[in-house]
């Protein structure tokens, strides 16, 4: 069982400085045994294609590679010019990834409708409470929790709620 099979990953993109100057791209030939195993894993076991077909290093080697099993979703692969993307001895790589992501429908959320609040009765109920007695019995953390509980109960009583759906 492969790592991808265990994790149920069906779309792969592997890109980076893999630094295999002994591998000849695009024919994938090498005399180094460990590099053969690496190429076989990606190309045969995971059915990847390697999409970089030009040197990516100032010395003429193709060291930065782009492997994927979804080449139809990758467009406009470009090896950039020397120091075009960054100050390095490697050339930058850019590409377009075509993805079709359905927007996630966000659940509705209840929020206070302050425009319709009964501020007079909320103020009246808050003034009836002996805060010194209630808060004086607790440490600061517990006092805060008691205060919030009372305040939210009174807000629920005097401020109607309205259902909203997130815009983004």
């Amino acid at each position: 069982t492969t790592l991808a099979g265990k994790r149920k990953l069906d779309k792969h993109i592997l890109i980076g400085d893999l630094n295999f100057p002994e591998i000849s791209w695009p024919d994938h030939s090498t005399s180094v045994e460990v590099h053969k195993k690496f190429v076989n894993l990606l190309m045969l076991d995971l059915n990847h294609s390697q999409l970089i077909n030009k040197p990516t290093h100032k010395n003429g080697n193709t060291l930065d590679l782009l492997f994927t099993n979804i080449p139809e979703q990758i467009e406009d692969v470009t090896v950039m010019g020397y120091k075009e993307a960054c100050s390095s001895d490697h050339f930058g790589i850019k590409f377009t990834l075509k993805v079709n992501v359905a927007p996630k429908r966000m659940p509705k959320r209840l929020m206070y409708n302050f425009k319709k609040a009964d501020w007079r009765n909320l103020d009246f109920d808050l003034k009836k409470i002996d805060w010194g007695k209630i808060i004086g019995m607790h440490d600061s953390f517990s006092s805060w929790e008691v205060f919030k509980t009372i305040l939210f109960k009174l807000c629920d009583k005097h401020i109607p709620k309205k259902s909203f759906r997130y815009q983004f």
Side-chain angles (χ1 to χ4, degrees):
T1 303
T2 66
L3 173 63
K6 287 180 185 177
R7 303 282 290 165
K8 295 183 172 66
L9 304 173
D10 60 344
K11 296 178 182 176
H12 317 143
I13 298 174
L14 172 65
I15 186 168
D17 176 6
L18 301 182
N19 222 359
F20 292 129
E22 297 85 5
I23 300 176
S24 172
W25 304 101
D27 65 351
H28 323 117
S29 63
T30 181
S31 60
V32 180
E33 194 59 35
V34 70
H35 294 168
K36 285 181 186 177
K37 289 182 181 182
F38 175 78
V39 170
N40 286 339
L41 169 71
L42 288 171
M43 307 298 280
L44 301 176
D45 293 351
L46 295 176
N47 195 30
H48 283 183
S49 300
Q50 200 290 112
L51 303 182
I52 305 299
N53 57 14
K54 294 172 61 174
T56 61
H57 190 267
K58 70 177 187 170
N59 292 341
N61 294 321
T62 304
L63 303 177
D64 304 275
L65 306 171
L66 171 56
F67 288 96
T68 184
N69 67 339
I70 52 167
E72 68 282 354
Q73 290 184 247
I74 296 178
E75 295 180 336
D76 305 320
V77 178
T78 305
V79 176
M80 301 170 75
Y82 181 55
K83 296 201 180 210
E84 183 180 348
C86 62
S87 181
S88 171
D89 56 349
H90 292 257
F91 307 154
I93 296 172
K94 66 180 182 177
F95 60 93
T96 301
L97 177 62
K98 297 188 310 183
V99 292
N100 187 11
V101 179
K104 184 175 181 182
R105 193 156 168 94
M106 298 302 289
K108 288 186 177 183
R109 179 177 174 196
L110 285 177
M111 298 177 71
Y112 288 117
N113 186 352
F114 293 108
K115 289 181 180 179
K116 295 187 177 186
D118 181 358
W119 295 111
R120 180 173 290 147
N121 284 322
L122 176 59
D123 182 56
F124 178 79
D125 284 351
L126 287 169
K127 287 179 179 175
K128 287 193 318 188
I129 297 170
D130 185 354
W131 292 107
K133 182 177 178 185
I134 291 174
I135 293 176
M137 300 174 5
H138 304 285
D139 60 59
S140 59
F141 179 78
S142 298
S143 294
W144 171 244
E145 293 301 318
V146 169
F147 173 77
K148 282 194 313 184
T149 300
I150 293 170
L151 180 62
F152 284 134
K153 281 184 183 178
L154 291 175
C155 285
D156 288 343
K157 179 179 175 184
H158 297 292
I159 305 173
K161 289 188 177 179
K162 185 175 179 181
S163 179
F164 288 93
R165 189 174 300 280
Y166 288 105
Q167 296 283 333
F168 304 100

